Amino acid sequence: MIRALLLSTLVAGALSCGVPTYPPQLSRVVGGEDARPNSWPWQVSLQYSSSGQWRHTCGGSLIEQNWVLTAAHCISSSRTYRVVVGRQSLSTAESGSLTVAVSKSVIHEKWNSNQLAQGNDIALLKLASSVPLTDKIQLGCLPPAGTILPNNYVCYVTGWGRLQTNGALPDILQQGELLVVDYATCSQPSWWGSTVKTNMICAGGDGVTSSCNGDSGGPLNCQADNGQWQVHGIVSFGSSLGCNYYRKPSVFTRVSNYNDWINSVRIGQAMSPTGPALPWPSEGHGHLSSKNPLPPPES
């Protein structure tokens, strides 16, 4: 009995992240669908202050009570940020949701906004205060270091990005099923070619469902065999031809390539402790598109 109790305790501890109180309702819907409220409880809305108002700019994942994982291209040192956690509707002050100021941003030291295709599009945001974990606010899990998902592995992208190319911005959190496209396929000339690197994940490319502008920085959620959801990807870029262009799958920063960097930031040993001012990636960066719908920050 004691051994059984200990084992159950260890399992509960191992699954302390990535197991929503309200499991997502998973179905393949063309172009995505409204997510079940609070079924992706590590999803955050990254917002910036503009003319006295807060505006959604990117997504992110709560990976510790005071740390959020997002994309480097979402961050500019000229802006003041906050994150909203535990939210389904961006326009509604929902019970159980919280807003927390960002006290520090840490951008990967090898990120170069003029070379988006080199990868390293990853940043961590330290929150001004830790958020309490509830049934609506929970932590996202990191995958084991070095994990490579197989071709056609089923994952879900979530965010408040545009519903289609040049389409409307939703008020309700969206989810969309995306199948992983392995590197051998995605790096073929008829797909992304040499633009995609091994520090990235491709997912989608069916011409129907994809991430889109405003989803940047948000998670690619993939479920492990034990039922735990893991944040395998960070929305990075897509084709300037359109959000859901055939054989141009959404491209994500591969989180499992950066476990050591993430851990070093969290214990205060990373380089570049504060992100420098960076040019905002343009919507037509070569044949790439940053997934952010907003104009460049004021200089």
Side-chain angles (χ1 to χ4, degrees), residues 211-246:
S211 58
C212 201
N213 309 90
D215 288 326
S216 276
L220 180 68
N221 305 289
C222 310
Q223 194 170 28
D225 289 341
N226 63 358
Q228 181 185 67
W229 289 94
Q230 299 171 345
V231 179
H232 274 265
I234 303 167
V235 179
S236 182
F237 65 83
S239 174
S240 59
L241 298 173
C243 293
N244 49 1
Y245 202 78
Y246 183 63

Side-chain angles (χ1 to χ4, degrees), residues 58-244:
C58 281
S61 302
L62 186 72
I63 60 169
E64 277 193 19
Q65 289 178 255
N66 62 338
W67 285 102
V68 166
L69 185 67
T70 190
H73 80 257
C74 289
I75 306 303
S76 168
S77 62
S78 67
R79 285 181 167 170
T80 299
Y81 293 100
R82 72 177 190 181
V83 299
V84 179
V85 295
R87 189 68 66 87
Q88 169 82 348
S89 164
L90 290 182
S91 66
T92 305
E94 297 168 347
S95 174
S97 67
L98 295 172
T99 58
V100 187
V102 173
S103 63
K104 181 173 72 171
S105 61
V106 186
I107 294 173
H108 195 281
E109 59 273 10
K110 292 185 178 179
W111 160 250
N112 184 334
S113 63
N114 294 315
Q115 296 180 346
L116 189 61
Q118 294 304 309
N120 305 308
D121 189 6
I122 184 171
L124 280 167
L125 307 176
K126 188 171 186 180
L127 305 183
S129 59
S130 295
V131 299
L133 301 182
T134 68
D135 61 337
K136 297 181 178 180
I137 302 171
Q138 295 173 29
L139 302 181
C141 301
L142 301 183
T147 302
I148 304 292
L149 295 172
N151 197 51
N152 288 327
Y153 199 92
V154 178
C155 298
Y156 286 81
V157 63
T158 52
W160 289 276
R162 295 188 187 277
L163 299 175
Q164 58 188 7
T165 304
N166 300 320
L169 287 167
D171 179 57
I172 301 297
L173 181 67
Q174 300 292 297
Q175 67 180 39
E177 180 187 290
L178 295 181
L179 301 184
V180 170
V181 180
D182 63 16
Y183 176 75
T185 302
C186 199
S187 59
Q188 292 179 10
S190 60
W191 290 70
W192 272 111
S194 61
T195 297
V196 71
K197 306 297 188 294
T198 56
N199 59 6
M200 305 171 185
I201 297 175
C202 297
D206 61 359
V208 177
T209 304
S210 74
S211 58
C212 201
N213 309 90
D215 288 326
S216 276
L220 180 68
N221 305 289
C222 310
Q223 194 170 28
D225 289 341
N226 63 358
Q228 181 185 67
W229 289 94
Q230 299 171 345
V231 179
H232 274 265
I234 303 167
V235 179
S236 182
F237 65 83
S239 174
S240 59
L241 298 173
C243 293
N244 49 1

